Amino acid sequence: MTTDTQTWTAVCAAGDILPDTGVCALVDGVHVAIFRVGQEPSLFAIDNVDPKAGASVLSRGLVGSLGDRIVVASPLYKNHFDLRSGECLEAPEHSVRAHAVRVENGRVLVALA
């Protein structure tokens, strides 16, 4: 899918997300976790629901890296999710979707995968 055919939803101001943290937003009925990594914002968006627990908590996880992968650790079961792909490193069957995210006019926009 190209960006020309995606539906973009504004979720918050870019400055609302502190470095190395995440926020949760409801986008077309889907709980999405949006993360800002570093001072120069790199933004990532994945599903917010931890598939093992069924709880909407991934946005509250700890952001870090494992090797060359930028990850978030679920606050419940500590599984690591790659922020670029949504892959669960410990149990690939528990992977989540990764969504497109961008900043436009100071607003964070998300397009569901």
Side-chain angles (χ1 to χ4, degrees), residues 33-94:
I34 302 107
F35 297 92
R36 174 182 171 186
V37 178
Q39 292 296 325
E40 289 298 318
S42 292
L43 296 174
F44 302 92
I46 61 173
D47 287 339
N48 193 45
V49 175
D50 181 320
K52 189 171 180 182
S56 188
V57 297
L58 293 181
S59 63
R60 292 187 250 155
L62 295 175
V63 175
S65 61
L66 290 174
D68 61 348
R69 294 177 131 178
I70 301 169
V71 299
V72 63
S74 171
L76 297 177
Y77 290 103
K78 310 306 183 218
N79 286 343
H80 296 92
F81 295 87
D82 185 308
L83 292 182
R84 288 185 178 97
S85 67
E87 180 185 4
C88 178
L89 303 186
E90 291 80 12
E93 67 274 13
H94 291 292

